[in-house]
Amino acid sequence: MAPALVETPQEPAVNYTKSGTGQYKEAYIGGPKVFSQEAELHGTGKQPPAKYPKYLPTWDATKKYPPLELFDHYDHGRDADPSFPNLLKDAKVVNLTANIGAEVHGVQLSKLTDAGKDELALLVAQKKVVAFRDQDFADIPIEDALKIGGYFGRHHIHPTSGGPAGYPEVHLVHRGADDTTARDFFEERTNSVTWHSDVTYEKQPPGTTFLYLLDGPGAGGDTLFANQAVAYQRLSPEFRKRLHGLQAVHSGVEQADNARNRGGIVRREPIQSIHPLVRTHPVTGEKALYVNPQFTRRIVGYKKEESDFLLNFLYDHIAKGQDFQARVKWAAGTVVVWDNRVTIHSALLDWDDGARRHLARITPQAERPTETPFEG
C-alpha cells in the first residue's frame, strides 16, 4: 500500500524569481552562436571530426511547443524482482562508494526485456546512479534509444537545448571542437560546479534518466552525483521535522533568459512550479531533499532573508557532503542511468584544450513530487 501523501496547497500566482540564492549558472552548452558545423563535421587542425554526426545539435527557432499537460505516471520499479535475475544475472557490479553509485559490466541495456527494465528502475532507485560500461546505445538508431527510454515515462522535450535533427526528445550536452570559452568562464567564476536535478521547474520532473557519451576529452568532464536521501538522513530529527511541510518555488525563467541571451531558442515558455522541500520516492519510500541551487528560488511563506538562509544552509550541506557523493568518469560506450528524484549532479568543466564534449540525454518524466508525513 502506498504511503499517505501530505496535501499540497494550491500554488499562488506570485513571481518568486527575484532571489539572490541559487542563481542560474550555465557553463557547459555553447549554443548556436558558437556552434561550427564545419569544425564538427570535418574537424580542425587540433580536433578530429565528431564521432556521431547524427547527434550534432540543431536549433529550430520556428518550432514552438505548448505547455506540458499533467499525466499519470507509473513507476515500473514497483514490478521489479528485487533479486534482479533479468538484469544482473551475468553482470559484474562494483559499488562506487558505500552509499551512492555502482559500475556495471556484462549487461547490454539495448537488449533488456521489460522485466529487465523493471529491475533497472529499481536498481537505479536503490543505487541512485549506475554507470553501465561497453554499451551500444550511441550506435543503435536514435528512435530505438528513445523507445527504451520511453518505457520509463513520457519523454521530456527540453525548452532551450539543441537536439539531433528530427529528435527534439533528445537533450544534447555539446561543447564543440576548439571551444575554449572555459577560460572566459573562469574569468568570472572560481569553479564550474553547478549542482542540480534536471528541469525541476516542471510540474512533473524526470525520474529514471539516461545520459550516454558520444565524444569526450581524454581526461576531465567527469560528473558528480550526490545522494539526496542520505543528505536528508544526516540532518537531525528536529531539523528534518522542521523541513516537512515546507515548499519551494522552482523556476525555469533564468534558463530561458540565458538561452535568449546567447542566441539560442526557447521552444516552450518558461514556468515556475512549487514542490516540497522533502519528497518521497514512490517505490523505495525513501525521503530525500528536493532543492538545488540551479532552479530552486525561494521557500513559500518565508521572507527573502529567511528563505536564503535556509536554502544556503542546505546547499552548503549537500556540497560539502563528499561522504554521500560519487564521481563518475566517462569512457567510450558508457551509459549513466540515475534517479533524478533522489539525486543532484554537476558536470565539471576542468579541461580547456578545446577537446569536444558531446553527450545525449533521454529524460523520461515521472510523478509530481509529493511528501509523506514525517516519521522521525
Side-chain angles (χ1 to χ4, degrees), residues 316-329:
D316 190 58
H317 165 59
I318 295 163
K320 290 180 178 177
Q322 294 187 23
D323 46 3
F324 49 81
Q325 296 175 14
R327 181 170 181 147
V328 174
K329 299 187 72 67

Side-chain angles (χ1 to χ4, degrees), residues 243-301:
L243 295 181
H244 274 268
L246 295 180
Q247 297 179 307
V249 176
H250 295 242
S251 174
V253 173
E254 296 80 1
Q255 187 178 74
D257 288 347
N258 181 273
R260 291 188 176 106
N261 291 339
R262 56 185 169 85
I265 59 172
V266 177
R267 297 186 283 198
R268 190 172 57 250
E269 287 304 306
I271 67 167
Q272 298 174 343
S273 296
I274 293 178
H275 299 311
L277 261 69
V278 177
R279 75 178 293 178
T280 305
H281 195 282
V283 176
T284 67
E286 281 187 306
K287 292 181 171 62
L289 295 178
Y290 198 64
V291 294
N292 70 88
Q294 279 288 83
F295 301 121
T296 308
R297 291 290 163 260
R298 191 165 181 169
I299 298 174
V300 176

